[in-house]
Structure formats: structure tokens, C-alpha cells
């Protein structure tokens, strides 16, 4: 059961998602809430979240949080909705919270997940790529970290594709 007094730094977005996970350890639920929201931030960078992006977000949330599919679906749906409604004002705040609670290794894992979500259609748009770069900056990771992860997805980068691709 979650602590009825959430951390004072939590945004409404994080609280809503964490409530859907009220049977988890509160810190783990909060972490999953933040993670799911940031996945939604990249999926929504091009103003549309495709069914494939949604399924990939659900897979990542299930894997990371070791959640049953039904719970992951709820978390992702809340994250997507919150991102569409409040993304402009909450993006930095939620990512800042992730920066506070995540280790460097978890930040790199998040970068891999962001690229995985954005490449579900085999095409990482320049908008998605820029959003991931912005998140990398907000997480205080170095440019070389961004490039190292991005290189594994370079064949999906729209900017590097030739017209016949």
C-alpha cells in the first residue's frame, strides 16, 4: 500500500500513476510511474502515440517493474494520458525526479528504452531524437552516453535514411 503522504516533490502525474501501483513498495511504484511517464514523453514527441509504441511501453514497464500485463497496461495508459494533458509543464519536473532517484546505470537503461519505443515503426523521427537528447541533458548524462546508445538504433534514424529506405 502506498504512503498516503507522497513526497512533496512529486507532481500530480507521478502521484496518479503511483496510485495505480498501490500494492507495490511506494518507492518502486514511484520509480515505475516516473519511468512510464518519460517513455510516454518520447512516444508523444511527434504528437501521436502509435499502438506499437504503446505495446513497447507496456513491455518495458512489465520488464522493469516485473508487473503483470494488466497492471502495466494501466500504468502506461495513465502515463500517456498525463503526458498528452500536461506534457509541456510536467516533462522537465518528472525527468528531474528521475535524475534524483536513478543511478547512472538506470539512466542508461532508460535511454535504451526510449530509443526502443521511438523505433517501433522502424523510423526515429528528428522530433523523437531531439526529445531523447533533451532528456539525456536533463538526466545530466554526457553527450557520449547519448551517442553510444543512439548508435545501436542508427539504422532507424530518419535523418540518416536515404529516400529509397
Amino acid at each position: 500500500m502506498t504512503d498516503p503522504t507522497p513526497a512533496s516533490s512529486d507532481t500530480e502525474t507521478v502521484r496518479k500513476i503511483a496510485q495505480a501501483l498501490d500494492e507495490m513498495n511506494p518507492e518502486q511504484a514511484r520509480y515505475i510511474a516516473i519511468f512510464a511517464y518519460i517513455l510516454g514523453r518520447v512516444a508523444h514527441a511527434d504528437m501521436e502515440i502509435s499502438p506499437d509504441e504503446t505495446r513497447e511501453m507496456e513491455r518495458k514497464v512489465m520488464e522493469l517493474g516485473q508487473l503483470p500485463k494488466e497492471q502495466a497496461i494501466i500504468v502506461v495508459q495513465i502515463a500517456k494520458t498525463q503526458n498528452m494533458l500536461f506534457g509541456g509543464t510536467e516533462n522537465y519536473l518528472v525527468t528531474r525526479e528521475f535524475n534524483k532517484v536513478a543511478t547512472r546505470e538506470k539512466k542508461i537503461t532508460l535511454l535504451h528504452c526510449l530509443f526502443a519505443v521511438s523505433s517501433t515503426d522502424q523510423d526515429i523521427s528528428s522530433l523523437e531524437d531531439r526529445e531523447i537528447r533533451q532528456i539525456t541533458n536533463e538526466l545530466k548524462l554526457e553527450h557520449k552516453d547519448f551517442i553510444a546508445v543512439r548508435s545501436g538504433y542508427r539504422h532507424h534514424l530518419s535523418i540518416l535514411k536515404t529516400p529509397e529506405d
Side-chain angles (χ1 to χ4, degrees):
M1 189 119 155
T2 57
D3 181 356
T5 56
S8 61
S9 61
D10 280 355
T11 65
E12 184 63 23
T13 293
V14 173
R15 280 193 289 270
K16 281 186 179 189
I17 300 168
Q19 286 171 358
L21 301 170
D22 72 351
E23 295 192 10
M24 290 180 93
N25 165 301
E27 286 306 307
Q28 178 69 2
R30 185 170 175 264
Y31 180 83
I32 296 296
I34 295 167
F35 183 88
Y37 179 86
I38 297 171
L39 292 178
R41 176 178 169 180
V42 168
H44 193 246
D46 57 5
M47 304 308 282
E48 180 182 340
I49 301 175
S50 74
D52 287 339
E53 287 172 321
T54 299
R55 282 189 290 280
E56 185 64 20
M57 289 171 64
E58 291 164 358
R59 274 193 291 279
K60 296 303 180 191
V61 168
M62 282 179 358
E63 290 170 14
L64 179 78
Q66 299 175 341
L67 300 177
K69 185 174 186 170
E70 299 76 27
Q71 211 170 17
I73 290 169
I74 291 168
V75 170
V76 167
Q77 189 56 50
I78 294 169
K80 285 174 28 180
T81 301
Q82 290 298 111
N83 197 288
M84 286 187 267
L85 293 173
F86 305 110
T89 56
E90 298 263 321
N91 285 348
Y92 174 75
L93 298 173
V94 174
T95 305
R96 183 177 66 185
E97 286 306 303
F98 191 83
N99 185 52
K100 289 179 186 176
V101 302
T103 63
R104 182 180 188 292
E105 181 181 308
K106 290 185 183 222
K107 292 174 188 180
I108 298 296
T109 297
L110 173 64
L111 281 184
H112 280 284
C113 293
L114 295 174
F115 277 107
V117 167
S118 65
S119 68
T120 58
D121 60 358
Q122 311 301 306
D123 185 59
I124 300 171
S125 73
S126 58
L127 291 171
E128 292 166 327
D129 189 50
R130 270 195 304 265
E131 193 69 24
I132 296 170
R133 179 67 183 126
Q134 179 65 37
I135 291 167
T136 302
N137 289 336
E138 291 168 12
L139 295 176
K140 312 283 189 241
L141 290 171
E142 295 180 27
H143 184 68
K144 68 179 182 176
D145 298 319
F146 171 75
I147 296 301
V149 174
R150 183 184 189 223
S151 68
Y153 298 88
R154 68 184 167 279
H155 56 287
H156 294 302
L157 292 167
S158 62
I159 197 161
L160 298 179
K161 290 185 174 185
T162 57
E164 62 271 358
D165 281 345

